[in-house]
């Protein structure tokens, strides 16, 4: 079972997003919230239009750690085209 890590994630200031980015961000966040409450793949898809495989991918992306700070990327990973720092050699 998943941990409720999102409680530690920083909130996103949606005012800094374009209308299109805000719509995508809100759908993705809603999908993650439904996923965490144990909703079925069908329920998540009907509510958000996002398939379960994509939700799982988003969850993993949110849980990735920034190699510089050691913190999870969190909700920042849900913003379209957001840059998440990857492993640095």
């Amino acid at each position: 079972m998943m941990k409720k890590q999102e409680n530690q994630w920083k909130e996103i200031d949606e005012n800094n997003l374009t209308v299109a980015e805000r719509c995508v961000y809100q759908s993705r966040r809603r999908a993650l919230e439904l996923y965490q409450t144990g909703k079925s793949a069908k329920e998540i898809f009907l509510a958000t239009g996002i398939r379960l495989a994509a939700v799982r991918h988003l969850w993993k992306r949110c849980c990735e750690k920034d190699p510089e700070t050691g913190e999870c990327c969190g909700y920042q990973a849900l913003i379209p085209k957001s840059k998440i720092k990857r492993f640095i050699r």
Side-chain angles (χ1 to χ4, degrees):
M1 195 72 189
M2 290 168 284
K3 296 178 184 175
K4 284 256 215 205
Q5 294 177 333
E6 81 282 356
N7 292 340
Q8 302 163 5
W9 295 348
K10 294 178 187 172
E11 287 295 324
I12 299 298
D13 183 2
E14 294 181 31
N15 295 323
N16 293 334
L17 303 176
T18 65
V19 173
E21 288 173 335
R22 190 175 310 129
C23 289
V24 172
Y25 169 77
Q26 289 172 344
S27 292
R28 289 175 175 179
R29 183 162 174 169
R30 179 74 180 130
L32 276 187
E33 290 167 353
L34 293 170
Y35 179 62
Q36 289 196 292
T37 59
K39 299 295 183 192
S40 70
K42 184 177 182 178
E43 289 173 305
I44 294 170
F45 182 75
L46 290 174
T48 64
I50 302 174
R51 300 213 177 266
L52 186 58
V55 175
R56 287 182 177 144
H57 173 76
L58 289 170
W59 175 256
K60 288 179 186 174
R61 203 177 138 122
C62 288
C63 291
E64 286 181 9
K65 298 214 182 240
D66 181 331
E68 293 176 7
T69 64
E71 295 179 5
C72 289
C73 294
Y75 294 128
Q76 181 69 32
L78 301 178
I79 298 172
K81 299 180 183 174
S82 64
K83 301 293 182 199
I84 299 176
K85 296 181 181 179
R86 298 284 180 181
F87 179 75
I88 302 169
R89 289 184 186 216

